[in-house]
Every structure is written in C-alpha cells, then in structure tokens.
Amino acid sequence: MGLDKFCSADGSDPFWDWNRTWHVGNPDLTQCFQSTVLVWVPCLYLWVCAPIYFLYLKSHDRGYICMTHLNRAKTAVGFLLWIVCWADVFYSFWERSQHDSGASSSTQAPVYLVSPTMLGITMLLATLLTQYERLKGVQSSGVMLNFWLVAVLCATVTFRSKIIQAINEPSTVCVFRYTTFYIYYTLLLISLLLSALSDQPPLFSEASKDANPCPEIGASFLSRISFWWITGLIVTGYKRPLEQKDLWCLNSEDRSQRVVPQLVRRWNNECLKVKRPEEKTLYSPKKAPRGERKEGVPVEESEILIMKTPQKTREPSLFWALCLTFGPYFLISSLYKIIQDVLMFVGPEILRLLIQFVNDSSAPSWQGYFYTALLFVCTCFQTLILQKYFHVCFVTGMRLRTAIVGAVYRKALVISNAARRTSTVGEIVNLMSVDAQRFMDLITYINMIWSAPLQVILALYFLWQNLGPSVLAGVAVMVLMVPINGVIAMKTKTYQVAQMKSKDNRIKLMNEVLNGIKVLKLYAWELAFKDKVSAIRESELRVLKKAAYLGAISTFTWVCAPFLVALSTFTVYVMIDERNVLDAQKAFVSLALFNILRFPLNMLPMVISSMVQASVSMKRLCVFLSHEELQEDSVERRAVAGCSDSISIEDGVFSWSRNDTPTLKRLSVHIPDGSLVAVVGHVGSGKSSLLSALLGEMEKLEGSVSVKGSVAYVPQQAWIQNATLKDNIVFGQERKESWYHRVVEACALLPDLEILPAGDGTEIGEKGVNLSGGQKQRVSLARAVYCDCAVYLLDDPLSAVDAHVGKHIFEKVVGPQGVLKDRTRVLVTHGLSFLPQADLILVMVEGEITEMGSYLELMARDGAFAEFLRTYANKEQEDDESDSAPKRGLENGLPAAVIGQNHTSTSAVRTEGEVLGKKAKNAEVGRITEADKANTGRVKLSVFWEYMKAIGVVLSCISIFLFFSHHFASLFSNYWLSLWTDDPVINGTQPSREMRLGVYGALGVSQGIAVFCYSISVSMGGILASRYLHQSMLYNVLRSPMSFFERTPSGNLVNRFAKETDTIDSVIPSIIKMFMGSMFNVVGSCVVILIATPLVAIIIPPLGILYFFVQRFYVASSRQLKRLESVSRSPVYTHFNETLLGTSVIRAFGEQERFIRESDGRVDHNQKAYYPSIVANRWLAVRLEFVGNCIVMFAALFAVMARESLSPGIMGLSISYALQLTASLTWLVRMSSDLETNIVAVERVKEYEDTEKEADWRHDQSSLPPGWPTAGNIDIRGFGLRYREDQELAVRNITVAIPGGEKVGIVGRTGAGKSSLTLGLFRIIEACEGEIHIDGVNIATLGLHELRSRITIIPQDPVLFSGSLRMNLDPFDGYSDEEVWRALELSHLKSFVSGLPDKLNHECSEGGENLSLGQRQLVCLARALLRKTKILVLDEATAAVDLETDNLIQSTIRTQFDDCTVLTIAHRLNTIMDYTRVLVLDKGEMAEFDSPSTLITKRGIFYKMAKDSGLV
C-alpha cells in the first residue's frame, strides 16, 4: 500500500482496518485515515469551489460592505488558523532535525509535512475569499459555511479519537500536536459560528432605496435554506390579518423592469434572425380621362407590381427566447432535482440495513444508532434540497409570467390595425391571464419529464435486486393503470365541457334575471324563472353525477394501484419457487420502493397534458408576438424648413393593411398653421381614415405625410379610463389649476361636475359606465384640450352632444374665438351650421378628396358639396324647429335649466368654486356601489356544520365510517404482511403461505370496495349539498326586495352563482376526500408506530403540538395572502383591457411609456402578494417535514433500542409507515388550508339567508273574492313612502279616489314622485303611512303575488328575456295559443310574428336584442292584453317609440281597455289631453287633480306645462 508507507515509514499505521472501524463495540478510524482523508476532504472542497465561486462573484457585484466587527473577527480567526497549521509544519521540521541529529533510526512519515501544509494554504485561501466576498457585497456565504461545516465534522472524528487515545494509551500522546489540534478545533467552531451570521447590507445597493425591502437579501445562508426570514411576516399575519402595507417590495431581479426587457430583447433577436425581406408593393394608378367621371362610374385601372424576394420560412422561436432568458437560473433547479431523486432511495436502503441489523443479533448496537442518525440527516437534507428546488421553480414561473404579461402588453401598443383585427380583446386578455398562468403551472413540473423516468429506472433496479424477475408482474399492473386513467381523464374532459355549457347557460339566464328583476317583480314572474334556472341546474347536476362515478373509478384505481402491485408481485414471487421466502427485508423494502414508484407514474400523464396545453399557449403567444407592427416612419414629425404648413400630405395612398385595396387614394393636402379645417362627406367616405392616416395608424403605401409638432386626438367613440374624472382629463400631464378650470368650463363640464357625487374626484366606472354618451365625449375633448398640443385631430366630437351644447363647445373650444384658436384643427363633422366658420373644407367621396376650399368658394362652385348641403339643410331645418320649443325634462342626463344658464359666464364662475369645493366633502360619495368584502379571520365551525346538514347527517356519518373501514383494512393488510414475514421458515419454505396470501388478497379487495363506496358517497353528498345550497340561495335572492338589488352590484350576485357555486360543486368534495384521506393516513401511521414501539408515545404529543402551531400560524397568513393576491390580480387585466380599447389615443398622445410603467407597476403589485405566498408554502413544508423526519428518527431509534423484543416484520412495518408520514403531514396541512379557503364559498352562499326579505308571496288562506278586482276602484288615503330609512318621504299625504273605469293621467316635473306612486301601488316599496284600497281590499294585507298578478303595468323600458317569444308573453303557460295570437293581433305584431320561421317559438336573444325597440314595446303591450286585468298602469315610455307606434299603442289601449281603470304616467302631454282626470304632482305632494280642461282654465302648474309643450 502506497498510503501505508505515506503514513508511517515501517507500515505500522495502516490506511484502513475493518476490525477497528466496523466489527467492534467501540469503533475508531485509523491514524493514517484521519491525517489524510479527513484533512484533505475540506481542502479539496474549497479548492474545487473557489475558482467557480470567484468567477460568480466577479460577475455579480452588489457593492462593497464596510469593515465590520464580524468581518474583522472572521479575518483574525482565519489568520490564527493559518498560524496554527504552520506551527504544525515547523514542529514537524524541528522533529526531523531532532531525529536526524539523534541516534533514533525511525524517519518521520511524509504525511506530517504534507497535510498541515495543505491545510495552512487552504486556511489562507478561506481568509482571502472572505475578504473578496466583503468587497463584492456578499452578506452571508453558503460556500464558506459549508466549508467550515465539513472541516468541523472531519475534525470532530479526530477529536474523539484523540480523546480515546489519551485515555487508553497515555504514553503515545504528543503534547505539542495535541495542543495545536485543540486550538485548531476551537477556532474551527468559532469560524463556523461566525459564518452562520449575516453581515450588514452593502453600500449603494438597490435594496436600500426601497420603502419596505425584502429581508431575504440580508438573510444569512441558514435562514435562507430554512426560509426562516419570512417568519416575521407569518407572525404578523397570525396576530392580525395582513394588509397591503405589510408586503415587502419585490427583489430587483423579479421586477418587471428587469425581467421584461430581457425577454423582449431575446425575442427581438429571434425575430431578426428570421426576418423575411418584405414584399414591396408599388401602386401606380392610371388617371382616368375627365369625361368618364360624369356617369358617376369612377373608372380607374391600376397596375400593382409585386416584387418577390427570396424568403426563408422559419418561424421565430419563443421557446428558445424563453430558454435563453430563464434557462440559466432554471438549470439550478434541475441540479437540485437530481440530488433529490437519488436521495429518495436512501430511505428504503437504510430500512433494509436496519432490518438486517435487527435480524443479526451479533451486530454491535452502535450500528443501529448510526443508521438512525444517517436516516435523519438524509431525510433532513432531502427536505432542504426539495424545498429549494420548488422555490427555484416557483420563482422562475413567477418571472416567466411577469415577462409574458409585459411582452404582450408592449406588443399590444405597437401592433398594426390589420393584426389587431385578427384577435378580439377577450382573446388578447386571455393570452395574459390564461396562457401566462399555464406556463407558470408547467414550470413547477417540467423537470418531471426527465426525472420521472429516472425515478422509475432507479426504483426498478433496486426492486430487481430485492425480488428478482417477479417485479415485472407489479410493473405490468402499473403500466396497465396508466391507459385506464388516461381514458377516464378523456371522458371526464367531455363531461367538463358539457357541464361548462350548462353552467354558461345558467349564468346567462341568472344575469338576465338580475338585470330584469324589476320587471319580474312587477309581473310576479319570479317562480317561473326560478323553475327555468332550476331546470338548467338539474341538467348540470346530472353531468356532475356522471363525472362523480368516473371520479370514483379513478380514485379506486389510484388508491388500489399500490396494493394491487404489491399483491401481484408477492404472489408471483412466492408461487414461482418453493424456496422463495418472503421475509421482512424483502417485503417492506419492496413496499417502500413501490410507494416511491407511485408518484412518477401518476405525475407523467399530468405533466404531458400540461405540456400539450402549454405548447398550445406557446403557439398562440408566438403568433401574437409575431404580428406586424405599425410603421414607425410613416408620418414625419419634423417641421419642413421654410414651410408654413402644419400638415401636408403629398400623393398619399393608404390602406388598413398591406394586402387590402387602398382606402384613401391620391391625397394631396396642405394645411397652413393655425387654420380650422372641416372634413365632410357621407358615411363611410373615409373621413376618420384620413385622421388615422395623419396619426400613422394606417399603412402608407405611397407618398409622404408630415405633421409639425405634437398631436392631440379625439376619437369618434370616446375612450374613458377607470379613474377619477380629473385623472381622465389631466392624462398624465402636470397639474395647472387655472388652465384646468378654463378647459373644464370651455368643454361644458361644469354642470356635470355639480351632478356627480364627488365633483371631479368621482371615480368613473369601466368604459365610463356612469357617464352619458355626451359627457364621455366632452371628457374626451377636455383631455385633448388640456394637453395643449400644436395639432388637433377631432373626429366628430359634436355628434354625441345636443345641439346647444355642441354650439357652446364650438364657440368656446374649436371655433375662431375658442381656446384653440391659434392651433391647427382638423374637425370631422356632420354639423353643417359650423361650416361657414371653417378656413378650409375638405369634401371626401369614397376615399378621395373631391373638393376643397372655403365655404363660399365651394358654394359658388355648385359641385358635390352644394348638393350635399341642400339634402341635409332641409332636414336640419326641421330639427331646428322642433328644437325651438324648449326641451323639458332631462337632456342628456342634465336638467335643461342647468345647461341654459351655462351660456352666461358669470353664473359659470360662481359654480366653479362650489363644484370644486364639493370635492373635499364628498370623496367617499364618489364610490359607486358597495364592493365585495374580503372576509378575514378563521372560518367558523358552524359553516362546516351547515355543510354537513346540507349533505345530510346520515350520509355524512356513512361516508366517515367508509373512510374509517378503508384505512382499517389497509392497516390490517400491512399488519398481516408483517405477521406473514415473521412466519418461521421450515425446510426453506413457509408452510402457511397460501392462507397468508388469500387473506392478504381478501383484505385488499375489501379495501377497494370501501374506497369505491366512500368516493361515491362523498361525491353524491357533495351534489346533494350543492343542489340544496343553490336552490335556497336562488329562492332567497328572488325573495329580496328591490332595494337589495339596487345596493348590491349584480357582479357580486353573479359571482355567487358562478364562482362560489362552482367551488361547492366540484372543488369542495374532492378536497374533503383528500383531507379525510391524508388525515386517516397520518393517524394510521401514528397508530402503527405506537404499536411497534410504544415509547414513541412520549414524543408524539410534543411534536403534535408543534405541528398544530405551525399549521395555525401558516393558515392565517396564507389565507390572507391568497386574498390579497386575488384582489390585486384583476386590476392588471382591467388596465390591459382598457389599454387595448384606447391604443390609438395612447399612441396619438405619445403616452406609451407611461402606460407601460403603469402596467408593470400593477403586475409587480400583484407579484408582491404572490411571492410571500410561495415562500410561506416552502416555510411550512420545511417545518412540517422536519416534524415528520423527527417521527421517522424516533421510530427507528426506539426500534433499535428495543431490538431484542421486536420482530423484524413489525419493525419494517413501523419504519415504512414512518417514511410515508412526512408526505402525508405536508399534504394534510395543504388540504386543511385549502378546505378552509374553499369552505368560505358555503358561507358566502348562505349570506343571503339573513338579508331583508319582501312580504310573503301568497297567504295560505286567501280571503280574496275570485276575479278580484271586479270594478277597479282605487282609493288612496293619506299615502306616503320613502326609498330608504334615512331619507325624506318621496311621496306624502296623497288622498285620491278613482272610480272604476276612469282614465287618469299623472304628470309632474322630473323627481316629482310620479314613478314612486306606481311603485307603491305594486308594493315594490312598502308604504310608510296611509293605505291603498282596491275594490275595498287593503292591498297591504295581500300576498305580493296575489296583488301583482291582478294588476298590470306596461313598464318604461321594455325588458325581454332570452327564450321563446311565447315564454316572454306567458312564462307560466297559462293561456292557449289562440289567446296568445289574439293578443299579438291586437298589439299589431301578428304580421311580424307570422313572418318569422319559428312563429311563437322565435328565440329572443339576450335582452331581446334581435327585436327593435318599438317591437319590444309592442311585446310588452301584448303581455298586458293577455292578462287583461281591471287596472292598467302605463309608465308611458313612448319617448323610445316613433310616433306611428305610439299612436298604435294609444288607440289599442283606448279600445281594449275601455272598461278598465288606466293610470298613465305621461311625459308627452298630448297623450292624456282626452283623459277623464289628471293628477299633477309637485315635490311628492298632490298639487292639482281634475279634468284637463278645468286645469288649463285654472292656470296652475298644468297650464305652464301645456304651454311649454305648445298645446295651448
């Protein structure tokens, strides 16, 4: 042996000696091994790592750290260690010289010189590395910590050996070497401690700028691998619910500004590689001779020359771009995964050794403890590696999502219009939400693609060693399971699609019900619609039931697979050969290996389907990111020297996309600075396209365009952001108060600000829902004016506003005296009155400018323009005449009076101060509705009890019993296996193996039956519960009064019917199954371990308490983090949605950068909540797996201690259960927190049980005479009502008696209480005082349906529901077809309906969109004719109907409802001039009540109104 010579000259000190180190009660390593291997290992580690680490530090500079006490201490200790090592070397030289001079012949071994020298150099390297780390800003180093740890471990062995030597052989001790070694050992321990601490943050680091930096950056290495640094946040979350301000800033390498540009850069490089030279299209028209134009047939021939260039067809690869961006960081995870895969097989190996140890009574007992310690260390190491692996995966997934969202957003801002048309807004938003999410989910599993086969191969290798070829039987069963599960998955998918379809229909119907709830209540139709929704729900539950059976089969194969595999393998093994004995080692090691095999085989199909989905997403993203972009250079922005033109187009030819025919042809326009240009022409003549061409939104095929200075653009459809009104106008510019006031005043927005609850601080809903069309257009205009640009492109901003507001805006803003008088203005308009004031008019016909010049020039020419004027002028004249009568009522959402006063600027100035003063008071009022609250705190037990009651208590108990029996059978079968393995071997065989095998098989079968039954019972229970919960919620919502629907946003209600119901349908049952399963697993494992080694009873309670605390801590924080994350997710998508609708505006104003920053900010804001939730999961897993590892260790430890009394079978059983326990524990917490998160759905569905309800629909003993009301007398006595508790009475002390058959009109200004009176009549709002009698019956004593079904209303806005026309007329099917046709004939719809292919079964679309407004109004009339009750209320909505239909309706009512009492709320007085009497309301009180003629002679309110309408 060379090494023996190296250690001692005469070979007396061997390198290795089995008798000293293994087969002995008190083991020790040889001197030679200690002074070579144990010294060299740490040195080698550091020398291998140092160069790589050095390069890493060189490229990752974080700024340097100032010299601190910690650093000084590290350096000092390092130098001391170096000195100690050199002292050893010098001592060896000194000894040599002594030996040489002395007579002693023994020469000293070279090892005493080589090892200390190596060690000394290494210590010097370590000290230098520590300093280099300081310069590069490393606060805590894993490399160095590991080095000191290895050094200490190696030195500890030597330390023990030296002490034993000193006790046993004191004569051989060398005092100097011993002293230096003890000093060396102490210094090593100090170094280890110092390297575990973290240094202060480096100077000039980015993190120091953050308001709330993430503690991860400054955490020590140990804190990082155990995720200790997040504990602070989790403790906070346990004490109180976490809030937005508790979250840390993102680490700089996870932020959008770092991540997105990397991906965008790589993707652009990819695109450049495959850039195809584009086809050049040359368009050269041949001018047609003038003469041919007269016939009105434009003759135009054009030659299109296409020059083809050779092209490559390779697509740019997004996959490659992603790999280059995220690959390097992600590769670390693959490294972790390999280590973890190998470590997985250490458990079963050690189990084998332990069983061998128990069987071999001659083995020294320290070996057992050694195996136990090894098992503990390996499992702990495996835990840390696995969690680190998941952490890397999740962080990569998070960055990937950020990058994709950012890239899609940036692309959406530059994509050309042609490309934009290929995908809808919804599809593009999906790229962001769904597809980015798919990638994120896949990243976690993608390593399984190579890791699963690796695990399978390793497992099979160990199994083959254990059991030989009979393993193949088990593998065959496993392989068979895969296609079965595949088929089930496919089938489940089809069921899912069917269920989604029913669900969509149900939600659509619910949506309509909630939108038309007022009509349902007025007609008393709630029950009919409740039945319709229930019918759809039933079909949905039928599909769910089928899916549940399938799910039960798949759970059955899932749970029974491991058992069947074991059974088949063991059967084959003992049947092949008499001599094959199943002993504990073979049985339990195989079971442990089979358990490992289960995971990769189940994961593979999942990963593959996940990859298929991701590849589809990849394609979609790739297509979107490869769309062509707008030409940057199509519009020149620089001013042409010596040219006074603000805008000029030379020979321009434009189209919307490369391949279309040109939309605009032969354009040559020069617009001087500061002129007002009007663009006119028929619809579709290319006016808006002209503006788009100036903005560079169109493809420029020929010619040149130049625009001087900045541009502001007002689109035809106003684009409004979901922000405050002020933010919409200011649009990212700096605030200039006085200018802002001027703009608001000029754009006629002051009266609007008075009406809005919080002035200009009012939040505008998405797409401007709480503004009228005219208001939106004015805000859009104000935004452009505020921006103060050189060129204004206005695309018909005056069309949506009324004539006089339009006039005001033209005068104050656009016209020659307006705010913009010195700017260049291009105004597309249909308003002819403004044309005389324009400097230049462009007349467009079919994409060409046919005439241009001033108004007078064009009139003189008498061309197309003059003709155009003549056609339209007549029409405008008529309009003007009708306008000359002052308009009453609301105009565009504003009282006319307010607008009238606005023309006098004095009053405007007065209001300005008031309006803006309101803002301070009412910032809260500006919120629209009450938002959905995120619940906080723990879920109450009562919720679980509610759910159990919904399932049915008996069924719940049966399910629990089935769970129990399944786990009992499973435990007993494994216990039976352990008894079998302990059977004595007689003549090389086990005598009773057939009996053993039979019982084992029978137990397995019973286990399978139990699994199948509990799976079915839980799913069925879940379906019963969701049926019950949905029905009661539907009933409760329909029973709620109108005020409830006004207060609650329909989104919240739809969410309850969609998302929460879906959770109850499909998520909760499966979570309950998994929760129960893992709970019984944990309990079962503990029971087995307790039976085997009762001593564990001492350990389980404290570990149980620790587990419980960790779990409670975690659940509190994780639940809140989930909520915060989902709350911050929707703003990302809403903002994106908005951006897509307004890209042209954003580009015109040049605000792209700001919007990109805003989007990035929102994504980061969302990831800020997501990142801690990932880390919290890892934190939990590390803690729980540690608890599990402790249980494994104690099970093994006590088994080793009690090895005399334990049989190997029981020990194998105990430890194989303990090895599974870790996974079950983690899963249990995951499931229990999921259960808590999801059971909230039950709570939210039950929420509406306690809200206020309407009066009863029907009374049991109805005291009503049949056919009531017979006469239709209405007697109102001292009646008054209010809308809300805290408000004034809307109507008060009204006393009116109306005899049957009278026709009464109800009139009054807006807000006088006309509608309130009818709502009181139908008891939509209950009376506060007084009462109403109909035919002598007090209506307050009736059931609501009894009342509402016997009086009829034709409501103001005609609401139709999707369904057949017949259903819309008669949802209860109470009338025959003849009666329905008769009603249609009387309502003048018969000819229309007969002409439809499906006649009465004609499908109305949602809201009756496929009928015109007039037709819908007539359908409502037909409903009234069908019911033909004695009392008819007309909420006269003829404003929506043209005069012809109006006359039809009036005449029908006069003839058909001749003998009925008719109450009409009139907006047009001419309809009620022939009524018996008129009731005039004023401020909620009765002002006048008499016949129309009498009232006119009285000259009161009615007379004024009639005069306004031009009736007197």
Side-chain angles (χ1 to χ4, degrees), residues 19-74:
N19 293 325
R20 270 181 74 180
T21 47
W22 194 249
H23 308 296
V24 64
N26 190 5
D28 195 9
L29 291 165
T30 61
Q31 214 43 63
C32 180
F33 189 84
Q34 288 178 25
S35 38
T36 52
V37 175
L38 291 188
V39 173
W40 297 349
V41 165
C43 300
L44 269 174
Y45 164 81
L46 195 64
W47 284 100
V48 169
C49 289
I52 306 167
Y53 189 47
F54 178 77
L55 288 172
Y56 169 81
L57 286 179
K58 208 174 154 124
S59 60
H60 291 68
D61 192 352
R62 298 204 183 100
Y64 70 93
I65 300 175
C66 294
M67 206 42 154
T68 53
H69 291 309
L70 180 63
N71 228 297
R72 290 192 187 97
K74 283 183 187 172

Side-chain angles (χ1 to χ4, degrees), residues 522-523 888 1304-1308 1314-1316 1318 1322 1352-1358 1413 1417 1420-1421 1432-1451 1453-1454 1462-1475 1505 1509 1511:
L522 289 170
Y523 286 131
R888 274 188 47 256
V1304 177
I1306 305 176
V1307 298
K1314 304 189 294 289
S1315 301
S1316 309
T1318 51
F1322 280 86
T1352 307
I1353 185 166
I1354 299 182
Q1356 192 163 3
D1357 29 358
L1413 199 63
Q1417 196 71 58
C1420 290
L1421 176 63
L1432 172 69
V1433 179
L1434 274 180
D1435 198 341
E1436 189 227 31
T1438 42
V1441 190
D1442 54 300
L1443 291 168
E1444 196 178 351
T1445 321
D1446 191 14
N1447 293 337
L1448 287 179
I1449 293 178
Q1450 293 298 338
S1451 65
I1453 287 169
R1454 288 199 181 91
V1462 180
L1463 302 180
T1464 304
I1465 296 181
H1467 295 254
R1468 298 184 182 173
L1469 294 191
N1470 55 357
T1471 52
I1472 56 159
M1473 286 316 251
D1474 59 346
Y1475 275 25
M1505 290 166 82
S1509 307
L1511 294 174

Side-chain angles (χ1 to χ4, degrees), residues 164-301:
I164 293 174
Q165 191 189 355
I167 295 169
N168 296 343
E169 313 165 21
S171 58
T172 59
V173 171
C174 164
V175 178
F176 182 81
R177 283 227 164 84
Y178 265 56
T179 316
T180 54
F181 178 76
Y182 289 145
I183 295 172
Y184 166 75
Y185 188 61
T186 316
L187 289 171
L188 276 185
L189 284 173
I190 295 172
S191 275
L192 180 63
L193 274 175
L194 290 175
S195 66
L197 301 173
S198 176
D199 215 334
Q200 67 181 42
L203 299 174
F204 321 118
S205 76
E206 287 182 17
S208 54
K209 297 178 202 141
D210 292 336
N212 188 3
C214 181
E216 183 185 8
I217 305 162
S220 68
F221 175 73
L222 286 175
S223 165
R224 279 181 169 196
I225 57 170
S226 63
F227 299 98
W228 182 259
W229 53 270
I230 196 184
T231 312
L233 186 74
I234 289 178
V235 172
T236 311
Y238 179 68
K239 289 184 186 151
R240 62 173 171 78
L242 290 172
E243 296 162 30
Q244 200 59 55
K245 63 171 193 295
D246 299 319
L247 301 179
W248 303 307
C249 298
L250 276 181
N251 294 335
S252 60
E253 52 269 21
D254 297 334
R255 290 184 194 163
S256 299
Q257 63 204 49
R258 270 285 281 281
V259 179
V260 186
Q262 291 176 343
L263 178 65
V264 172
R265 192 176 72 244
R266 299 257 157 70
W267 169 249
N268 289 340
N269 292 345
E270 272 299 301
C271 292
L272 284 177
K273 274 189 223 162
V274 299
K275 196 72 164 173
R276 303 191 285 278
E278 281 151 357
E279 300 176 359
K280 298 251 190 327
T281 314
L282 299 182
Y283 172 83
S284 60
K286 291 183 178 172
K287 284 275 163 67
R290 277 299 304 169
E292 298 183 26
R293 288 304 286 260
K294 281 283 176 271
E295 279 67 69
V297 184
V299 178
E300 181 179 295
E301 307 163 35

Side-chain angles (χ1 to χ4, degrees), residues 538-579:
E538 281 308 309
S539 71
E540 191 181 346
L541 290 176
R542 275 199 295 279
V543 176
L544 269 177
K545 219 174 247 177
K546 285 183 198 161
Y549 290 126
L550 269 187
I553 297 171
S554 94
T555 310
F556 172 74
T557 53
W558 238 129
V559 177
C560 292
F563 181 83
L564 288 173
V565 168
L567 181 66
S568 53
T569 307
F570 294 150
T571 309
V572 171
Y573 180 70
V574 294
M575 289 300 176
I576 288 177
D577 186 358
E578 284 284 290
R579 297 267 159 257

Side-chain angles (χ1 to χ4, degrees), residues 1376-1390:
S1376 67
D1377 275 9
E1378 290 77 49
E1379 291 173 293
V1380 176
W1381 276 112
R1382 169 114 183 89
L1384 285 174
E1385 184 180 357
L1386 291 171
S1387 56
H1388 311 279
L1389 276 172
K1390 187 172 180 180

Side-chain angles (χ1 to χ4, degrees), residues 1347-1365:
L1347 169 68
R1348 291 172 186 167
S1349 59
R1350 302 191 185 191
I1351 52 181
T1352 307
I1353 185 166
I1354 299 182
Q1356 192 163 3
D1357 29 358
V1359 176
L1360 265 62
F1361 300 95
S1362 59
S1364 67
L1365 195 59

Side-chain angles (χ1 to χ4, degrees), residues 758-771:
D760 62 1
T762 306
E763 179 195 0
I764 308 299
E766 282 171 51
K767 301 183 191 153
V769 284
N770 45 348
L771 296 179

